[in-house]
Amino acid sequence: MLRNNFTKGARVMDSALVASTAGVLSKEEWALRAAEVERQEGDRLKRERDDKERQAEKSAQRDEKKRKREKKTKKQSLSFAGDEEEPAADSAPAEHIDSGPTPQEGEVAEKMSYGMDPTVDTEFLPSSVKRKQERDELKAIEHERNELRERSLADQVTIPLTTAGIDGGKHHKVETTKGSTVYELLSKVYRHDKALASAFSADDVMLLVDDFTFAPTTVLYDILTATAVDGAPIFNFKFTAPKVMLRRWFLGKKNSGSYPLVRTFCPKAVYKKGAVTWEEVA
């Protein structure tokens, strides 16, 4: 054992061996400690080899994941055609091929996206050109709607009204324009009844249709043309006449439960008919 430990070419473990054999030892004790140092050194070398193997395995796994990601990204690419090769500088010029008539002056040729094969149908895919077309179409529709609204504001319209708790529940027909506000409509309700006109004003009453009340500034045109999400009109004054009632009666504590589902109408909101009342969906 001693000869093997000190033979030229054997592993040298001077520091560990010297530290473990300090002091006076017998030959057998020295041999046992030298064997223990050699075993510990072997274990250390084995751990180092295992660590290197684990690091190499982790590195290989990372490389494999990266390769799979690159392969997946390449599959998802819309490019089905190879990159065009640029002609070499010293090569002879290619023969001219007539590709057909060029766009006339003033025309805008449709731009093709780089990296897309023109032989593949990609009409179903979104693109900046399609999004721009959709925005332009929406703007055109909105512009047409606004023009129609402006032309219609001066149109005359007859609004049937029923008073509630004011003059015995009489029926009235008020002539006004579609551009009038709710406040202007209420101001005309009692124009033929001087007694009522002296007792109440537009500030004292409010308009109620189905489950909706209206802000004084709401324009009649927006009420008459309001449609639900399915395209059906929300208000039909031929079947349900608007009610005019005292504001203080509606807001009083005794009558707070008479109209529990009432909400203020918003011309820009989208409504649908629910099981009980109108519901706002947007």
Side-chain angles (χ1 to χ4, degrees):
M1 185 66 180
L2 292 175
R3 183 177 58 81
N4 291 337
N5 285 335
F6 292 96
T7 300
K8 185 178 181 179
R11 287 177 302 176
V12 179
M13 301 171 288
D14 292 340
S15 58
L17 187 59
V18 169
S20 64
T21 56
V24 179
L25 299 174
S26 64
K27 180 179 179 181
E28 289 77 7
E29 290 175 342
W30 192 93
L32 289 174
R33 295 191 182 185
E36 178 63 21
V37 171
E38 185 176 4
R39 184 188 64 79
Q40 292 177 356
E41 180 67 12
D43 292 341
R44 185 184 65 81
L45 294 176
K46 183 176 182 301
R47 286 195 300 272
E48 290 181 355
R49 287 195 302 270
D50 293 342
D51 291 340
K52 290 181 180 179
E53 290 176 358
R54 283 194 295 270
Q55 293 295 333
E57 184 178 356
K58 289 181 180 179
S59 178
Q61 290 177 354
R62 286 195 297 268
D63 294 341
E64 179 65 16
K65 289 181 179 179
K66 181 179 179 182
R67 186 186 66 79
K68 289 182 178 179
R69 284 196 302 267
E70 292 176 350
K71 185 177 180 181
K72 184 177 180 181
T73 303
K74 188 175 181 180
K75 279 186 176 181
Q76 293 175 345
S77 175
L78 296 177
S79 176
F80 300 101
D83 296 336
E84 297 181 359
E85 296 182 358
E86 296 183 0
D90 57 348
S91 61
E95 184 181 355
H96 175 70
I97 300 176
D98 187 7
S99 58
T102 59
Q104 298 296 328
E105 184 177 357
E107 293 181 350
V108 180
E110 183 179 359
K111 294 182 179 180
M112 296 180 62
S113 300
Y114 290 105
M116 298 182 68
D117 188 350
T119 63
V120 177
D121 183 16
T122 58
E123 187 65 24
F124 64 95
L125 295 173
S127 66
S128 58
V129 176
K130 292 179 182 178
R131 287 192 290 269
K132 184 179 183 301
Q133 290 176 348
E134 292 176 356
R135 290 195 299 268
D136 293 342
E137 290 175 0
L138 291 176
K139 288 181 180 179
I141 293 173
E142 185 67 20
H143 180 70
E144 183 179 357
R145 184 185 295 115
N146 291 336
E147 285 189 342
L148 177 61
R149 185 179 188 274
E150 291 299 322
R151 291 196 303 267
S152 303
L153 292 180
D155 294 346
Q156 291 291 324
V157 63
T158 301
I159 305 295
L161 296 171
T162 301
T163 54
I166 299 176
D167 56 356
K170 293 182 180 180
H171 297 279
H172 301 266
K173 289 185 178 180
V174 179
E175 296 288 338
T176 186
T177 62
K178 293 181 179 180
S180 300
T181 64
V182 170
Y183 186 87
E184 293 171 341
L185 173 67
L186 295 175
S187 299
K188 297 179 180 180
V189 173
Y190 304 117
R191 63 182 178 181
H192 300 303
D193 193 325
K194 294 182 179 180
L196 289 175
S198 61
F200 304 105
S201 68
D203 296 317
D204 300 321
V205 294
M206 58 186 297
L207 192 68
L208 179 69
V209 184
D210 288 338
D211 294 328
F212 290 103
T213 58
F214 303 88
T217 56
T218 303
V219 179
L220 291 180
Y221 178 86
D222 296 330
I223 300 175
L224 297 172
T225 58
T227 55
V229 67
D230 59 356
I234 297 179
F235 305 107
N236 190 338
F237 293 167
K238 293 181 180 181
F239 298 99
T240 306
K243 292 181 181 180
V244 180
M245 60 176 56
L246 288 174
R247 186 179 299 275
R248 66 172 180 267
W249 182 91
F250 180 82
L251 298 177
K253 293 183 179 180
K254 293 182 179 180
N255 305 305
S256 59
S258 300
Y259 299 92
L261 302 177
V262 168
R263 81 283 308 279
T264 302
F265 174 75
C266 178
K268 295 183 179 181
V270 179
Y271 297 94
K272 71 173 182 178
K273 187 65 174 178
V276 179
T277 185
W278 289 98
E279 300 174 358
E280 186 174 341
V281 296

